[in-house]
Amino acid sequence: MAENMKNRRIIKHSRFMTTFSRVFETPTAKIGGILLGIIVVMCVFAPLFCKYTANDIDMTSALQGPSLQHFCGTDNLGRDQWARLLYGGRYSLALGIIGSLFAAIGGTGLGVIAGYFGGQAENLIMRFCDIWTAIPGTLLCIVVSTALGPGFFNTIVALSIGAIPNGARMTRGQILAERTKEYLEAAEAMNCSKASIMFRHLLPNVISPTIVGTTMGIGATITQAATLSYIGLGVQPPTPEWGAMLSAGKNYVTSFPHLLLFPGIAIGLATLAINLMGDGLRDALDPKLRK
């Protein structure tokens, strides 16, 4: 028994390493992985890459352009923009990752239930998702964020709610294709519980598209979080977040464009890196795309 468990762990580990290596077989995935790794490392270890903190105020240095002392210039309060970009990346990346993860969990759960049980449960969930998706995603985020109020955790909730229906539809479609397979009949013959069949047998066989979709959605979620912060419904000042930095600099767009340029570049680079990684992950998990 112990030997069998050990062999299963080895097989699972080898599959993970094989999939992980496939992700970086394409040049685009390598570029995305390196770029994303650099961004994450610099944001996590921000104190090592800048000599200021995010909220160090120096009015004598207010609204300065890029220089050797301030790589990305300073804002209207004399705060170093480079430091605020690095510290703000923690919040922006966290919003994108956590928001996408929560949406994936909610959407996957609903999709599995709808696809496995079918009937009235499926009709109820899918019709609810139809109503849900009839509202534009950004508008729904704005409505939820307005109702809950601004803030980091409320923004995560707003971002998650808007993305759940797409995940539910994707998972349901995968479940419908798997529902008639023989291994499910075997599991039912062994008196496995419905929860065990859904989440232990069915879900692992349909999770690949969800993983890819969630990864690809992180970039869009980061952009959406920046949108909420830009209009004052997301992370609030003085917390450094890329969207909030764009909002703070919009009044100086003609005279001090660096206040919008560098946060915009940060959002673009992070989104590009994540999308490139998502392409590599899709190629690694989809057997039709493997060479």
Side-chain angles (χ1 to χ4, degrees), residues 92-110:
S92 294
L93 293 174
L95 286 171
I97 294 172
I98 299 175
S100 297
L101 183 61
F102 283 2
I105 293 173
T108 301
L110 290 176

Side-chain angles (χ1 to χ4, degrees), residues 142 145-146 149-151 155 225-237 241 243-244 247-248 250:
I142 292 174
S145 187
T146 302
T155 302
T227 301
L228 291 177
S229 297
Y230 184 83
I231 61 178
L233 294 175
V235 176
Q236 297 296 293
E241 192 269 337
S247 179
K250 66 179 183 294

Side-chain angles (χ1 to χ4, degrees), residues 20-56:
F20 184 79
S21 63
R22 284 192 185 126
V23 172
F24 297 99
E25 285 181 353
T26 60
T28 54
K30 290 179 181 178
I31 295 172
I34 293 172
L35 180 58
L36 182 61
I38 292 173
I39 294 173
V40 171
V41 168
M42 294 186 71
C43 291
V44 172
F45 301 101
L48 300 178
F49 297 97
C50 56
K51 58 183 178 180
Y52 303 98
T53 64
N55 292 314
D56 285 345

